[in-house]
Amino acid sequence: MTDTPMPPAGGAAHRFEAGLERRAANYVSLTPVSLLARAAAAFGARVAVIDGERRLTYAALYARCRRLASSLAARGIGRLDTVAILASNIPEMVEAHFAVPMLGAVLNPLNTRLDPATIAFSLRHGGARVLIVEEAHAPLAAKALAAMEARPLVITIGETGIAGALPYEALIEAGDPAHAWAPPDDEWQSLCLLYTSGTTGDPKGAVYSHRGAYLQALGNAVTFGLSGESVYLWTLPMFHCSGWSYPWACVAAGATQVCLRKVEPADIFRLIAEHGVTHLCGAPIVLSMIAHAPAHERRDFPQTVRCAVGGAAPSSTIIRTMEEMGFRITHLYGATESYGPATACLAQPDWAELTDEERYQRMARQGVALATLDGVIVTDPETGEPVPQDGSRIGEIRLRGNTIMKGYLGNPSATEKALAGGWYATGDLAVWHADGAVEIKDRSKDIIISGGENISSLEVEEVLMRHPSVMLAAVVARPDATWGETPCAFLEAKPGSEVPSQETIIAFCRERMARYKVPKTVVFGHLPKTSTGKIQKFVLRDRAREIG
Ligand code: ADP
């Protein structure tokens, strides 16, 4: 950007254009890094990050990020180089979300629960020049690195025992706390690379831009009511969609982030009570762990804690249980491809007239677009046209706006498939209500087709979750000679409750849903979950098939 406005090329411009061109004073590339610079200048002494006994003020956080950036720059890392990180929710993970983009480099947070081969795939595919590894994940990193021909530069947090690695803290110490950085020339520049789970083939690497991350940070802060008084607890893995973009959102709001390495209900309650936590996010499974924590792990706390749930569909039962425990639920829906939250279920004025049960069911809807998203529609899978907002016709959710990924790295065909036609196709099937809210019925691959009728697995799960002995429910298709498929329910019982018989559950369902939707098979046991807390339906589908 030059400081002198350029005269229009060819011909006189309109009076609302001439002399009103963009210039350095009024047009700066958006980047989440500037949020940290501003926070350090505006309230440097405020605590930005808490980790056990450790405290980092905003001034200290900014200085450490600049030190790290300068040390990485000294090792030749710069614009569009990939810096991968394998770490839990620790302060260094927050630092990486600012220090790496400060260099114009691309941060690639890796899922710490993946296998070494997939980590090696991501490092190779993402072209990682640097891998930052936390001590706790050193064995995984070492195995992944052993499978690689060209190793990235390894930086270790704590003792990893990886030969030739540089200690993270030494880089911080040697770095320049006044390191000069500038926003990218173009805010569309890539900032983050996030691999999706890869349950259907090799993982795909969604790429975020500086502009998108900046806007998402603001959208998140506004939607979730974050402010300078907020204390945000890290119950969500930061490697998942960059912690749904909350490292940037918390800094935008000037909130305090409290680190948590492992989702243990006892730690969650303790940290809520000790630090006055006001906000936390999690998949429904995290809420379920909180809601079913044994009495000796619970702690009382005087403040209201806002809890954003997303990543998978929460049942109205879990929303109700959490609200009755004093949490205030915000239901968010989104994907890695949409920087995390794309929609939020906002309360409507007519909810005041609803019964509690009806209200909790409304809260289980995925809702309307965040302020920073341009639009959400539900389209007919055949025609691609929007379905009527009648709450009954099922179509695919499509999203559009500045907080949709740039595309998948090195995968033009998948990018084209995802973004063709002006919208991001989510693969989520939903109905669209008159008040604008979308309500997911299933992921397209999870829908059950029995005797030609579509059955929403979520709808059946929603009913099963109301049974007093059921803690978790997952319904999948089981092949059937007569019907094609029938619903098969896998259930986890509440701790300490007697496991009901198959007949009891079937009778419970019969009273509450159409006959064809009632599960024909019911299996109690432990449900397999992904590292991000989603139930692995593909594993259950295999099990259902094996039942014979
Ligand atoms: P993965 O494919 O590994 O699950 P994501 O974490 O990007 O990757 O998951 C995004 C998907 O998660 C969405 O497309 C949707 O199917 C599901 N999802 C996310 N939030 C919700 C929600 N609030 N309700 C229902 N489904 C959700």
Side-chain angles (χ1 to χ4, degrees), residues 195-199 208 240-241 244 284 309-314 331-338 340 343 364-366 424-429 440-446 458 530 532 534:
Y195 284 95
T196 57
S197 63
T199 49
Y208 293 180
H240 187 216
C241 312
W244 296 354
V309 60
H331 178 190
L332 302 172
Y333 154 77
T336 306
E337 288 81 349
S338 60
T343 71
R365 291 179 181 174
Q366 283 64 27
Y424 163 55
T426 61
D428 291 315
L429 299 178
I440 294 195
K441 291 293 176 183
D442 246 322
R443 275 186 148 184
S444 46
K445 55 182 182 288
D446 291 338
L458 291 185
T530 66
T532 50
K534 303 188 194 202

mmCIF file of all heavy atoms in Angstrom, residues 195-199 208 240-241 244 284 309-314 331-338 340 343 364-366 424-429 440-446 458 530 532 534, ligand 1:
data_model
loop_
_atom_site.group_PDB
_atom_site.id
_atom_site.type_symbol
_atom_site.label_atom_id
_atom_site.label_comp_id
_atom_site.label_asym_id
_atom_site.label_seq_id
_atom_site.Cartn_x
_atom_site.Cartn_y
_atom_site.Cartn_z
ATOM 1 N N TYR A 195 -5.612 -30.041 9.115
ATOM 2 C CA TYR A 195 -6.050 -31.269 8.457
ATOM 3 C C TYR A 195 -7.350 -31.772 9.071
ATOM 4 O O TYR A 195 -7.493 -31.795 10.290
ATOM 5 C CB TYR A 195 -4.954 -32.331 8.545
ATOM 6 C CG TYR A 195 -3.836 -32.028 7.568
ATOM 7 C CD1 TYR A 195 -2.702 -31.334 7.967
ATOM 8 C CD2 TYR A 195 -3.960 -32.386 6.227
ATOM 9 C CE1 TYR A 195 -1.713 -31.017 7.059
ATOM 10 C CE2 TYR A 195 -2.975 -32.066 5.313
ATOM 11 C CZ TYR A 195 -1.848 -31.383 5.728
ATOM 12 O OH TYR A 195 -0.886 -31.057 4.827
ATOM 13 N N THR A 196 -8.279 -32.166 8.194
ATOM 14 C CA THR A 196 -9.524 -32.778 8.672
ATOM 15 C C THR A 196 -9.217 -34.231 9.043
ATOM 16 O O THR A 196 -8.150 -34.737 8.716
ATOM 17 C CB THR A 196 -10.616 -32.728 7.580
ATOM 18 O OG1 THR A 196 -10.095 -33.397 6.437
ATOM 19 C CG2 THR A 196 -10.958 -31.308 7.199
ATOM 20 N N SER A 197 -10.190 -34.874 9.644
ATOM 21 C CA SER A 197 -9.898 -36.151 10.305
ATOM 22 C C SER A 197 -9.432 -37.272 9.382
ATOM 23 O O SER A 197 -8.677 -38.144 9.797
ATOM 24 C CB SER A 197 -11.133 -36.617 11.068
ATOM 25 O OG SER A 197 -12.159 -36.850 10.140
ATOM 26 N N GLY A 198 -9.848 -37.260 8.110
ATOM 27 C CA GLY A 198 -9.373 -38.288 7.192
ATOM 28 C C GLY A 198 -9.984 -39.655 7.418
ATOM 29 O O GLY A 198 -9.340 -40.664 7.178
ATOM 30 N N THR A 199 -11.220 -39.665 7.840
ATOM 31 C CA THR A 199 -11.859 -40.969 8.038
ATOM 32 C C THR A 199 -12.218 -41.595 6.701
ATOM 33 O O THR A 199 -12.486 -42.777 6.608
ATOM 34 C CB THR A 199 -13.135 -40.832 8.893
ATOM 35 O OG1 THR A 199 -13.907 -39.775 8.332
ATOM 36 C CG2 THR A 199 -12.815 -40.542 10.326
ATOM 37 N N TYR A 208 -6.496 -21.506 5.976
ATOM 38 C CA TYR A 208 -7.132 -20.266 6.434
ATOM 39 C C TYR A 208 -6.311 -19.061 5.965
ATOM 40 O O TYR A 208 -5.105 -19.177 5.753
ATOM 41 C CB TYR A 208 -7.175 -20.198 7.973
ATOM 42 C CG TYR A 208 -8.061 -21.217 8.657
ATOM 43 C CD1 TYR A 208 -8.164 -21.224 10.054
ATOM 44 C CD2 TYR A 208 -8.804 -22.148 7.948
ATOM 45 C CE1 TYR A 208 -8.971 -22.141 10.718
ATOM 46 C CE2 TYR A 208 -9.619 -23.066 8.608
ATOM 47 C CZ TYR A 208 -9.691 -23.064 9.992
ATOM 48 O OH TYR A 208 -10.494 -23.959 10.641
ATOM 49 N N HIS A 240 -7.741 -28.547 17.141
ATOM 50 C CA HIS A 240 -8.961 -28.768 16.372
ATOM 51 C C HIS A 240 -9.499 -27.446 15.847
ATOM 52 O O HIS A 240 -9.947 -26.603 16.621
ATOM 53 C CB HIS A 240 -10.004 -29.472 17.252
ATOM 54 C CG HIS A 240 -11.213 -29.890 16.483
ATOM 55 N ND1 HIS A 240 -12.471 -29.849 16.996
ATOM 56 C CD2 HIS A 240 -11.342 -30.372 15.233
ATOM 57 C CE1 HIS A 240 -13.334 -30.271 16.082
ATOM 58 N NE2 HIS A 240 -12.669 -30.591 15.015
ATOM 59 N N CYS A 241 -9.455 -27.242 14.519
ATOM 60 C CA CYS A 241 -9.857 -25.966 13.884
ATOM 61 C C CYS A 241 -9.204 -24.803 14.616
ATOM 62 O O CYS A 241 -9.881 -23.804 14.893
ATOM 63 C CB CYS A 241 -11.347 -25.686 13.930
ATOM 64 S SG CYS A 241 -12.444 -26.960 13.451
ATOM 65 N N TRP A 244 -11.199 -23.847 17.334
ATOM 66 C CA TRP A 244 -12.359 -23.149 16.757
ATOM 67 C C TRP A 244 -12.096 -21.642 16.615
ATOM 68 O O TRP A 244 -13.006 -20.829 16.680
ATOM 69 C CB TRP A 244 -13.616 -23.306 17.597
ATOM 70 C CG TRP A 244 -14.199 -24.658 17.756
ATOM 71 C CD1 TRP A 244 -13.842 -25.831 17.161
ATOM 72 C CD2 TRP A 244 -15.306 -24.972 18.607
ATOM 73 N NE1 TRP A 244 -14.644 -26.846 17.590
ATOM 74 C CE2 TRP A 244 -15.552 -26.353 18.480
ATOM 75 C CE3 TRP A 244 -16.105 -24.227 19.476
ATOM 76 C CZ2 TRP A 244 -16.568 -26.997 19.190
ATOM 77 C CZ3 TRP A 244 -17.105 -24.867 20.174
ATOM 78 C CH2 TRP A 244 -17.343 -26.240 20.024
ATOM 79 N N PRO A 284 -20.291 -32.124 22.556
ATOM 80 C CA PRO A 284 -21.296 -32.638 23.498
ATOM 81 C C PRO A 284 -20.715 -33.630 24.496
ATOM 82 O O PRO A 284 -21.131 -33.668 25.658
ATOM 83 C CB PRO A 284 -22.317 -33.311 22.584
ATOM 84 C CG PRO A 284 -22.187 -32.600 21.276
ATOM 85 C CD PRO A 284 -20.758 -32.193 21.157
ATOM 86 N N VAL A 309 -21.342 -25.170 22.897
ATOM 87 C CA VAL A 309 -21.271 -26.576 22.495
ATOM 88 C C VAL A 309 -21.336 -26.651 20.973
ATOM 89 O O VAL A 309 -22.068 -25.925 20.332
ATOM 90 C CB VAL A 309 -22.390 -27.405 23.167
ATOM 91 C CG1 VAL A 309 -23.786 -26.910 22.794
ATOM 92 C CG2 VAL A 309 -22.247 -28.877 22.818
ATOM 93 N N GLY A 310 -20.510 -27.524 20.403
ATOM 94 C CA GLY A 310 -20.510 -27.693 18.956
ATOM 95 C C GLY A 310 -19.582 -28.818 18.569
ATOM 96 O O GLY A 310 -19.010 -29.491 19.423
ATOM 97 N N GLY A 311 -19.440 -29.026 17.278
ATOM 98 C CA GLY A 311 -18.566 -30.099 16.801
ATOM 99 C C GLY A 311 -19.346 -31.364 16.506
ATOM 100 O O GLY A 311 -18.934 -32.190 15.700
ATOM 101 N N ALA A 312 -20.460 -31.521 17.168
ATOM 102 C CA ALA A 312 -21.402 -32.615 16.905
ATOM 103 C C ALA A 312 -22.719 -32.138 17.507
ATOM 104 O O ALA A 312 -22.734 -31.175 18.288
ATOM 105 C CB ALA A 312 -20.943 -33.910 17.570
ATOM 106 N N ALA A 313 -23.810 -32.815 17.157
ATOM 107 C CA ALA A 313 -25.115 -32.330 17.604
ATOM 108 C C ALA A 313 -25.344 -32.601 19.086
ATOM 109 O O ALA A 313 -25.260 -33.750 19.522
ATOM 110 C CB ALA A 313 -26.207 -33.004 16.792
ATOM 111 N N PRO A 314 -25.636 -31.564 19.881
ATOM 112 C CA PRO A 314 -25.979 -31.814 21.280
ATOM 113 C C PRO A 314 -27.455 -32.194 21.372
ATOM 114 O O PRO A 314 -28.279 -31.646 20.653
ATOM 115 C CB PRO A 314 -25.728 -30.458 21.942
ATOM 116 C CG PRO A 314 -25.962 -29.462 20.859
ATOM 117 C CD PRO A 314 -25.677 -30.134 19.544
ATOM 118 N N HIS A 331 -25.252 -22.769 21.533
ATOM 119 C CA HIS A 331 -25.048 -23.869 20.588
ATOM 120 C C HIS A 331 -24.470 -23.325 19.275
ATOM 121 O O HIS A 331 -25.053 -22.459 18.643
ATOM 122 C CB HIS A 331 -26.401 -24.572 20.348
ATOM 123 C CG HIS A 331 -26.310 -25.690 19.358
ATOM 124 N ND1 HIS A 331 -27.408 -26.317 18.849
ATOM 125 C CD2 HIS A 331 -25.246 -26.304 18.787
ATOM 126 C CE1 HIS A 331 -27.020 -27.264 18.004
ATOM 127 N NE2 HIS A 331 -25.717 -27.260 17.950
ATOM 128 N N LEU A 332 -23.303 -23.845 18.900
ATOM 129 C CA LEU A 332 -22.611 -23.401 17.683
ATOM 130 C C LEU A 332 -22.470 -24.565 16.721
ATOM 131 O O LEU A 332 -22.313 -25.713 17.143
ATOM 132 C CB LEU A 332 -21.205 -22.900 18.042
ATOM 133 C CG LEU A 332 -21.112 -21.767 19.055
ATOM 134 C CD1 LEU A 332 -19.663 -21.530 19.450
ATOM 135 C CD2 LEU A 332 -21.712 -20.490 18.481
ATOM 136 N N TYR A 333 -22.494 -24.244 15.445
ATOM 137 C CA TYR A 333 -22.282 -25.288 14.428
ATOM 138 C C TYR A 333 -21.274 -24.780 13.409
ATOM 139 O O TYR A 333 -21.287 -23.603 13.039
ATOM 140 C CB TYR A 333 -23.612 -25.609 13.737
ATOM 141 C CG TYR A 333 -23.453 -26.159 12.340
ATOM 142 C CD1 TYR A 333 -23.068 -27.487 12.123
ATOM 143 C CD2 TYR A 333 -23.670 -25.346 11.217
ATOM 144 C CE1 TYR A 333 -22.907 -27.985 10.841
ATOM 145 C CE2 TYR A 333 -23.512 -25.838 9.937
ATOM 146 C CZ TYR A 333 -23.125 -27.149 9.749
ATOM 147 O OH TYR A 333 -22.955 -27.638 8.484
ATOM 148 N N GLY A 334 -20.401 -25.662 12.989
ATOM 149 C CA GLY A 334 -19.457 -25.277 11.944
ATOM 150 C C GLY A 334 -18.558 -26.441 11.612
ATOM 151 O O GLY A 334 -18.830 -27.587 11.988
ATOM 152 N N ALA A 335 -17.479 -26.155 10.905
ATOM 153 C CA ALA A 335 -16.568 -27.208 10.463
ATOM 154 C C ALA A 335 -15.163 -26.621 10.383
ATOM 155 O O ALA A 335 -14.991 -25.399 10.458
ATOM 156 C CB ALA A 335 -16.998 -27.710 9.093
ATOM 157 N N THR A 336 -14.195 -27.483 10.223
ATOM 158 C CA THR A 336 -12.830 -27.012 10.028
ATOM 159 C C THR A 336 -12.814 -26.024 8.855
ATOM 160 O O THR A 336 -12.147 -24.991 8.910
ATOM 161 C CB THR A 336 -11.910 -28.212 9.712
ATOM 162 O OG1 THR A 336 -12.066 -29.175 10.750
ATOM 163 C CG2 THR A 336 -10.466 -27.793 9.609
ATOM 164 N N GLU A 337 -13.580 -26.344 7.828
ATOM 165 C CA GLU A 337 -13.607 -25.528 6.611
ATOM 166 C C GLU A 337 -14.170 -24.134 6.850
ATOM 167 O O GLU A 337 -13.990 -23.241 6.020
ATOM 168 C CB GLU A 337 -14.445 -26.242 5.539
ATOM 169 C CG GLU A 337 -13.791 -27.475 4.933
ATOM 170 C CD GLU A 337 -13.926 -28.754 5.768
ATOM 171 O OE1 GLU A 337 -14.349 -28.653 6.935
ATOM 172 O OE2 GLU A 337 -13.612 -29.836 5.249
ATOM 173 N N SER A 338 -14.883 -23.933 7.964
ATOM 174 C CA SER A 338 -15.469 -22.609 8.244
ATOM 175 C C SER A 338 -14.813 -21.980 9.477
ATOM 176 O O SER A 338 -15.461 -21.214 10.188
ATOM 177 C CB SER A 338 -16.978 -22.720 8.440
ATOM 178 O OG SER A 338 -17.275 -23.572 9.526
ATOM 179 N N GLY A 340 -14.263 -23.127 12.223
ATOM 180 C CA GLY A 340 -15.070 -23.434 13.399
ATOM 181 C C GLY A 340 -16.459 -22.844 13.242
ATOM 182 O O GLY A 340 -17.052 -22.938 12.159
ATOM 183 N N THR A 343 -22.557 -20.982 12.480
ATOM 184 C CA THR A 343 -23.892 -20.578 12.916
ATOM 185 C C THR A 343 -23.992 -20.686 14.437
ATOM 186 O O THR A 343 -23.213 -21.393 15.071
ATOM 187 C CB THR A 343 -25.010 -21.463 12.308
ATOM 188 O OG1 THR A 343 -24.944 -22.765 12.910
ATOM 189 C CG2 THR A 343 -24.886 -21.597 10.809
ATOM 190 N N ALA A 364 -31.378 -26.953 20.588
ATOM 191 C CA ALA A 364 -30.594 -28.001 19.918
ATOM 192 C C ALA A 364 -30.518 -27.769 18.410
ATOM 193 O O ALA A 364 -29.798 -28.471 17.708
ATOM 194 C CB ALA A 364 -31.196 -29.370 20.226
ATOM 195 N N ARG A 365 -31.240 -26.743 17.905
ATOM 196 C CA ARG A 365 -31.111 -26.389 16.484
ATOM 197 C C ARG A 365 -29.779 -25.674 16.264
ATOM 198 O O ARG A 365 -29.289 -24.999 17.164
ATOM 199 C CB ARG A 365 -32.239 -25.449 16.066
ATOM 200 C CG ARG A 365 -33.580 -26.126 16.049
ATOM 201 C CD ARG A 365 -34.647 -25.120 15.652
ATOM 202 N NE ARG A 365 -35.951 -25.767 15.648
ATOM 203 C CZ ARG A 365 -37.075 -25.108 15.455
ATOM 204 N NH1 ARG A 365 -37.064 -23.803 15.257
ATOM 205 N NH2 ARG A 365 -38.226 -25.757 15.452
ATOM 206 N N GLN A 366 -29.277 -25.785 15.045
ATOM 207 C CA GLN A 366 -27.956 -25.205 14.779
ATOM 208 C C GLN A 366 -28.026 -23.693 14.570
ATOM 209 O O GLN A 366 -27.019 -23.020 14.744
ATOM 210 C CB GLN A 366 -27.305 -25.922 13.592
ATOM 211 C CG GLN A 366 -26.727 -27.288 13.953
ATOM 212 C CD GLN A 366 -27.755 -28.318 14.409
ATOM 213 O OE1 GLN A 366 -28.920 -28.269 14.044
ATOM 214 N NE2 GLN A 366 -27.325 -29.265 15.222
ATOM 215 N N TYR A 424 -19.982 -23.114 0.117
ATOM 216 C CA TYR A 424 -19.283 -24.277 0.659
ATOM 217 C C TYR A 424 -20.335 -25.344 0.987
ATOM 218 O O TYR A 424 -21.255 -25.106 1.778
ATOM 219 C CB TYR A 424 -18.474 -23.891 1.918
ATOM 220 C CG TYR A 424 -18.082 -25.095 2.739
ATOM 221 C CD1 TYR A 424 -17.368 -26.149 2.154
ATOM 222 C CD2 TYR A 424 -18.436 -25.212 4.084
ATOM 223 C CE1 TYR A 424 -17.038 -27.286 2.888
ATOM 224 C CE2 TYR A 424 -18.094 -26.331 4.825
ATOM 225 C CZ TYR A 424 -17.407 -27.369 4.212
ATOM 226 O OH TYR A 424 -17.085 -28.495 4.928
ATOM 227 N N ALA A 425 -20.172 -26.498 0.369
ATOM 228 C CA ALA A 425 -21.126 -27.597 0.592
ATOM 229 C C ALA A 425 -20.658 -28.405 1.797
ATOM 230 O O ALA A 425 -19.591 -29.008 1.780
ATOM 231 C CB ALA A 425 -21.183 -28.473 -0.655
ATOM 232 N N THR A 426 -21.471 -28.378 2.871
ATOM 233 C CA THR A 426 -21.013 -28.959 4.144
ATOM 234 C C THR A 426 -21.187 -30.474 4.219
ATOM 235 O O THR A 426 -20.554 -31.119 5.048
ATOM 236 C CB THR A 426 -21.817 -28.370 5.321
ATOM 237 O OG1 THR A 426 -23.197 -28.724 5.115
ATOM 238 C CG2 THR A 426 -21.675 -26.867 5.417
ATOM 239 N N GLY A 427 -22.094 -31.029 3.399
ATOM 240 C CA GLY A 427 -22.389 -32.459 3.534
ATOM 241 C C GLY A 427 -23.305 -32.738 4.723
ATOM 242 O O GLY A 427 -23.533 -33.890 5.077
ATOM 243 N N ASP A 428 -23.837 -31.687 5.338
ATOM 244 C CA ASP A 428 -24.757 -31.869 6.463
ATOM 245 C C ASP A 428 -26.190 -31.671 5.978
ATOM 246 O O ASP A 428 -26.489 -30.690 5.291
ATOM 247 C CB ASP A 428 -24.456 -30.862 7.586
ATOM 248 C CG ASP A 428 -23.138 -31.170 8.255
ATOM 249 O OD1 ASP A 428 -22.890 -32.352 8.550
ATOM 250 O OD2 ASP A 428 -22.337 -30.236 8.472
ATOM 251 N N LEU A 429 -27.040 -32.608 6.349
ATOM 252 C CA LEU A 429 -28.441 -32.548 5.909
ATOM 253 C C LEU A 429 -29.287 -31.902 6.998
ATOM 254 O O LEU A 429 -29.178 -32.263 8.169
ATOM 255 C CB LEU A 429 -28.947 -33.958 5.622
ATOM 256 C CG LEU A 429 -28.177 -34.693 4.522
ATOM 257 C CD1 LEU A 429 -28.726 -36.107 4.337
ATOM 258 C CD2 LEU A 429 -28.243 -33.929 3.202
ATOM 259 N N ILE A 440 -30.000 -29.537 11.863
ATOM 260 C CA ILE A 440 -29.357 -30.687 11.222
ATOM 261 C C ILE A 440 -30.118 -31.960 11.542
ATOM 262 O O ILE A 440 -30.509 -32.194 12.688
ATOM 263 C CB ILE A 440 -27.885 -30.816 11.694
ATOM 264 C CG1 ILE A 440 -27.101 -29.611 11.186
ATOM 265 C CG2 ILE A 440 -27.259 -32.117 11.231
ATOM 266 C CD1 ILE A 440 -25.616 -29.742 11.238
ATOM 267 N N LYS A 441 -30.277 -32.776 10.508
ATOM 268 C CA LYS A 441 -30.925 -34.073 10.692
ATOM 269 C C LYS A 441 -29.871 -35.180 10.644
ATOM 270 O O LYS A 441 -30.050 -36.234 11.222
ATOM 271 C CB LYS A 441 -31.972 -34.303 9.601
ATOM 272 C CG LYS A 441 -33.168 -33.382 9.727
ATOM 273 C CD LYS A 441 -33.950 -33.714 10.986
ATOM 274 C CE LYS A 441 -35.092 -32.752 11.214
ATOM 275 N NZ LYS A 441 -35.799 -33.036 12.458
ATOM 276 N N ASP A 442 -28.828 -34.953 9.900
ATOM 277 C CA ASP A 442 -27.776 -35.957 9.766
ATOM 278 C C ASP A 442 -26.639 -35.433 8.918
ATOM 279 O O ASP A 442 -26.824 -34.499 8.151
ATOM 280 C CB ASP A 442 -28.312 -37.213 9.065
ATOM 281 C CG ASP A 442 -28.318 -38.400 10.004
ATOM 282 O OD1 ASP A 442 -27.372 -38.508 10.791
ATOM 283 O OD2 ASP A 442 -29.269 -39.178 9.953
ATOM 284 N N ARG A 443 -25.502 -36.120 9.029
ATOM 285 C CA ARG A 443 -24.483 -35.947 8.011
ATOM 286 C C ARG A 443 -24.951 -36.816 6.857
ATOM 287 O O ARG A 443 -25.546 -37.873 7.095
ATOM 288 C CB ARG A 443 -23.151 -36.478 8.516
ATOM 289 C CG ARG A 443 -22.407 -35.459 9.309
ATOM 290 C CD ARG A 443 -21.048 -35.963 9.663
ATOM 291 N NE ARG A 443 -20.159 -34.820 9.698
ATOM 292 C CZ ARG A 443 -18.866 -34.879 9.900
ATOM 293 N NH1 ARG A 443 -18.272 -36.030 10.065
ATOM 294 N NH2 ARG A 443 -18.141 -33.798 9.913
ATOM 295 N N SER A 444 -24.674 -36.409 5.623
ATOM 296 C CA SER A 444 -25.251 -37.168 4.503
ATOM 297 C C SER A 444 -24.873 -38.643 4.575
ATOM 298 O O SER A 444 -25.660 -39.511 4.238
ATOM 299 C CB SER A 444 -24.872 -36.555 3.173
ATOM 300 O OG SER A 444 -23.524 -36.241 3.139
ATOM 301 N N LYS A 445 -23.657 -38.933 5.086
ATOM 302 C CA LYS A 445 -23.255 -40.339 5.106
ATOM 303 C C LYS A 445 -23.857 -41.113 6.295
ATOM 304 O O LYS A 445 -23.728 -42.322 6.352
ATOM 305 C CB LYS A 445 -21.732 -40.469 5.087
ATOM 306 C CG LYS A 445 -20.985 -39.728 6.177
ATOM 307 C CD LYS A 445 -19.480 -39.916 5.970
ATOM 308 C CE LYS A 445 -18.666 -39.239 7.045
ATOM 309 N NZ LYS A 445 -18.641 -37.778 6.990
ATOM 310 N N ASP A 446 -24.509 -40.412 7.216
ATOM 311 C CA ASP A 446 -25.054 -41.087 8.405
ATOM 312 C C ASP A 446 -26.545 -41.377 8.313
ATOM 313 O O ASP A 446 -27.099 -42.091 9.154
ATOM 314 C CB ASP A 446 -24.811 -40.230 9.664
ATOM 315 C CG ASP A 446 -23.337 -40.162 10.025
ATOM 316 O OD1 ASP A 446 -22.592 -41.068 9.599
ATOM 317 O OD2 ASP A 446 -22.938 -39.211 10.715
ATOM 318 N N LEU A 458 -30.036 -38.564 14.150
ATOM 319 C CA LEU A 458 -30.047 -37.599 15.261
ATOM 320 C C LEU A 458 -31.397 -37.549 15.955
ATOM 321 O O LEU A 458 -31.475 -37.413 17.175
ATOM 322 C CB LEU A 458 -29.700 -36.192 14.754
ATOM 323 C CG LEU A 458 -28.272 -35.970 14.282
ATOM 324 C CD1 LEU A 458 -28.071 -34.511 13.922
ATOM 325 C CD2 LEU A 458 -27.287 -36.366 15.368
ATOM 326 N N THR A 530 -13.746 -40.092 18.588
ATOM 327 C CA THR A 530 -12.552 -39.509 17.960
ATOM 328 C C THR A 530 -11.856 -38.631 18.991
ATOM 329 O O THR A 530 -12.414 -38.342 20.060
ATOM 330 C CB THR A 530 -12.910 -38.606 16.768
ATOM 331 O OG1 THR A 530 -13.617 -37.475 17.292
ATOM 332 C CG2 THR A 530 -13.770 -39.310 15.751
ATOM 333 N N THR A 532 -11.552 -35.646 18.902
ATOM 334 C CA THR A 532 -12.256 -34.391 19.125
ATOM 335 C C THR A 532 -13.628 -34.644 19.748
ATOM 336 O O THR A 532 -14.487 -33.783 19.746
ATOM 337 C CB THR A 532 -12.391 -33.598 17.809
ATOM 338 O OG1 THR A 532 -12.924 -34.473 16.814
ATOM 339 C CG2 THR A 532 -11.060 -33.073 17.345
ATOM 340 N N LYS A 534 -16.039 -36.867 18.988
ATOM 341 C CA LYS A 534 -17.213 -37.261 18.206
ATOM 342 C C LYS A 534 -17.315 -38.774 18.224
ATOM 343 O O LYS A 534 -16.301 -39.467 18.209
ATOM 344 C CB LYS A 534 -17.067 -36.802 16.764
ATOM 345 C CG LYS A 534 -16.853 -35.320 16.675
ATOM 346 C CD LYS A 534 -16.916 -34.864 15.252
ATOM 347 C CE LYS A 534 -16.365 -33.463 15.169
ATOM 348 N NZ LYS A 534 -16.795 -32.729 14.029
HETATM 349 P P1 ADP B 1 -14.634 -33.993 11.047
HETATM 350 O O1 ADP B 1 -15.021 -34.288 9.641
HETATM 351 O O2 ADP B 1 -13.355 -34.506 11.474
HETATM 352 O O3 ADP B 1 -15.739 -34.241 12.035
HETATM 353 P P2 ADP B 1 -14.926 -31.183 11.589
HETATM 354 O O4 ADP B 1 -14.424 -31.076 12.953
HETATM 355 O O5 ADP B 1 -14.627 -30.120 10.637
HETATM 356 O O6 ADP B 1 -14.356 -32.466 10.968
HETATM 357 O O7 ADP B 1 -16.471 -31.445 11.686
HETATM 358 C C1 ADP B 1 -17.422 -30.668 11.091
HETATM 359 C C2 ADP B 1 -18.727 -31.395 11.134
HETATM 360 O O8 ADP B 1 -19.123 -31.642 12.486
HETATM 361 C C3 ADP B 1 -19.873 -30.658 10.529
HETATM 362 O O9 ADP B 1 -19.877 -30.739 9.118
HETATM 363 C C4 ADP B 1 -21.057 -31.361 11.180
HETATM 364 O O10 ADP B 1 -21.333 -32.600 10.547
HETATM 365 C C5 ADP B 1 -20.538 -31.660 12.569
HETATM 366 N N1 ADP B 1 -20.991 -30.621 13.506
HETATM 367 C C6 ADP B 1 -20.284 -29.587 13.984
HETATM 368 N N2 ADP B 1 -21.026 -28.859 14.845
HETATM 369 C C7 ADP B 1 -22.239 -29.440 14.903
HETATM 370 C C8 ADP B 1 -23.462 -29.146 15.591
HETATM 371 N N3 ADP B 1 -23.576 -28.120 16.418
HETATM 372 N N4 ADP B 1 -24.514 -29.962 15.367
HETATM 373 C C9 ADP B 1 -24.423 -31.012 14.531
HETATM 374 N N5 ADP B 1 -23.308 -31.347 13.865
HETATM 375 C C10 ADP B 1 -22.220 -30.571 14.042
#
